[in-house]
Amino acid sequence: MDILLAITLVSLVVFVAAATGRLLAGSDGPATRLTVADIQARLAAEPPRSYVPISRGR
C-alpha cells in the first residue's frame, strides 16, 4: 500500500511541475507561426546540396 501512495505522490509532483513549467514558459505570448514564405526563404538562403543516393536499387 505504501508503494502505491509513493507512486501516486511522485506522479502528482511531476504533473504539477510540468504544468507549472508550461505555464511559465507559455507566458511569453503566442509563438509566431511558420509560413510557407518563411520556409521558402530559409531554403533559398541555404547552399544547394548535391544528391547522393543511399542505395543503388539492387
Side-chain angles (χ1 to χ4, degrees), residues 54-58:
I54 295 174
S55 66
R56 297 183 186 263
R58 293 183 185 185

Side-chain angles (χ1 to χ4, degrees), residues 21-52:
R22 289 189 68 129
L23 285 175
L24 292 177
S27 64
D28 297 341
T32 58
R33 293 190 57 114
L34 194 60
T35 63
V36 174
D38 294 334
I39 295 170
Q40 288 175 341
R42 288 183 187 181
L43 288 174
E46 289 184 5
R49 299 181 187 180
S50 61
Y51 174 72
V52 179

